[in-house]
Amino acid sequence: MKKISILVLFSLISGLTFQSALASDKSKALVPLPSLDDFTQGNDGWAFGLGVGVEYETAYEGSDEFGFEIQPAGAVQWRRGDNIYYFAGEAFGWRGRYDDKWLLEALLGFEEGREEDDSDDGHLDGLGEQDEGFELVLQGRRAFTADWRYWLVGRIVTGGDGNLGLFGVGRRFGEQNDGTGHEVNLVAVFHDSEYANKGFGINATQSAASGLAATTLSGGLRSVGIDYSFRRYINANWQVYGEALFEYYSSEVRDSPIARSDYETEVGLGVIYVF
């Protein structure tokens, strides 16, 4: 996995050919971005998509262990004009479009936390388990053009264990308005000291139990990264999607004994049936 780059994945997915009729121009999505699923096909009312995806990713933040994971995909959505309310897995959310150049989104999601046995090699032994809980995510995108070819993006994640912020720029490829095509974002990620130490800090008790050096992070820049999203209709109801993420940690994060790798990466592919 470490040898698979996002550009290679982009080339592989771009080369896929489907013989069935495509639905790429049949409807207009709330915002024509592949990273945002919209099953409403431009219509007010209820919409439903159900599918499954396969992800290959790091075992936990900072891990050098990788594995496959099967994830459900899809959502229940209700659209009214330029607003969509949705339930997707472990998240409830809303997104709305304003002036054709602003997209605002808010969701409440479930954070599973980290367990010692997330590391098969025992690298988390003695660090204890992190509590599960909910996180509030607020996001905004501001497009430079009405067709959403380029945009600025900002995101804030907050909960019981600190705050994380993301800021970046994005680019969409393809002429479709139905939410299919390709999308790339370049981002910088920041965290406060509480959030930083949740993932990469080691207190005195954990140090004594694990044998790892006590570590306290001050917060600030967490990482820089790139993420890629792809979505395409196979026919009127079936769609295939893909995503890839590469995140390179800052020097402070890399110095933590928990960060056994300088980066985090993830690749996923899946299919969804739209009812």
Side-chain angles (χ1 to χ4, degrees), residues 52-237:
V52 65
V54 179
E55 296 180 352
Y56 187 70
E57 60 185 349
T58 51
Y60 56 90
E61 292 181 342
S63 174
D64 58 357
E65 304 168 56
F66 292 80
F68 289 96
E69 185 173 357
I70 305 297
Q71 293 278 6
V76 178
Q77 301 175 342
W78 185 78
R79 180 168 180 171
R80 182 65 178 268
D82 293 333
N83 297 276
I84 290 180
Y85 303 86
Y86 60 89
F87 169 68
E90 298 176 334
F92 293 90
W94 156 86
R95 66 176 65 111
R97 187 186 75 239
Y98 297 90
D99 296 329
D100 292 328
K101 293 184 179 180
W102 283 96
L103 174 70
L104 302 179
E105 184 168 9
L107 69 89
L108 184 65
F110 184 74
E111 171 60 38
E112 296 181 353
R114 188 185 67 197
E115 300 179 356
E116 289 189 1
D117 60 8
D118 285 344
S119 172
D120 293 333
D121 297 335
H123 297 312
L124 298 177
D125 290 353
L127 296 181
E129 298 184 356
Q130 294 179 348
D131 294 335
E132 301 174 339
F134 288 92
E135 290 183 330
L136 175 66
V137 180
L138 304 175
Q139 178 172 266
R141 301 198 198 194
R142 205 289 185 182
F144 294 116
T145 58
D147 62 356
W148 286 81
R149 185 66 57 200
Y150 302 93
W151 60 85
L152 296 175
V153 59
R155 181 185 306 151
I156 296 175
V157 180
T158 184
D161 295 300
N163 305 282
L164 178 142
L166 176 151
F167 306 93
V169 295
R171 168 73 155 89
R172 180 174 73 93
F173 302 87
E175 302 298 327
Q176 305 95 319
N177 291 318
D178 62 350
T180 63
H182 306 269
E183 171 191 328
V184 174
N185 292 274
L186 298 174
V187 300
V189 185
F190 301 85
H191 52 195
D192 63 17
S193 59
E194 186 176 3
Y195 198 100
N197 285 291
K198 178 187 71 171
F200 298 99
I202 302 172
N203 61 34
T205 301
Q206 292 172 321
S207 176
S210 66
L212 299 176
T215 303
T216 301
L217 282 71
S218 60
L221 179 66
R222 169 192 172 96
S223 63
V224 293
I226 179 172
D227 66 74
Y228 163 78
S229 298
F230 160 84
R231 191 177 301 271
R232 183 171 181 176
Y233 279 101
I234 300 175
N235 56 35
N237 297 101

